[in-house]
Amino acid sequence: MTDTGTALRIVGQLVPPGPARVRVEQPESTVEGDADALGRFAVSGVRSGPGRLTMTPIDGGVTLRSQWTVF
């Protein structure tokens, strides 16, 4: 996670790897990004505060949600 001055940028990798839609859900907003075939993703525009990650495989697999945390 890096601070861009006005928002946060979250960079990560899904394990097991694979293409997926990655969302950062927060009480007042949601931002999205895509994970590539190696599971690597970056999501920009995240606000400081509570939120959780949601990952949905492109192939239509099971959606996973993290616990709520503070960014």
Side-chain angles (χ1 to χ4, degrees):
M1 188 169 10
T2 57
D3 187 344
T4 63
T6 58
L8 301 173
R9 182 171 190 251
I10 298 174
V11 177
Q13 185 172 16
L14 305 176
V15 177
R21 176 57 113 187
V22 179
R23 286 186 303 280
V24 178
E25 299 174 345
Q26 296 187 281
E28 297 178 8
S29 66
T30 298
V31 291
E32 298 183 344
D34 291 317
D36 65 14
L38 298 176
R40 301 174 299 191
F41 67 89
V43 180
S44 298
V46 178
R47 298 178 185 192
S48 293
R52 68 179 176 183
L53 293 171
T54 301
M55 292 77 59
T56 304
I58 297 299
D59 67 6
V62 176
T63 296
L64 300 174
R65 288 183 179 84
S66 71
Q67 295 291 321
W68 285 90
T69 189
V70 177
F71 299 116

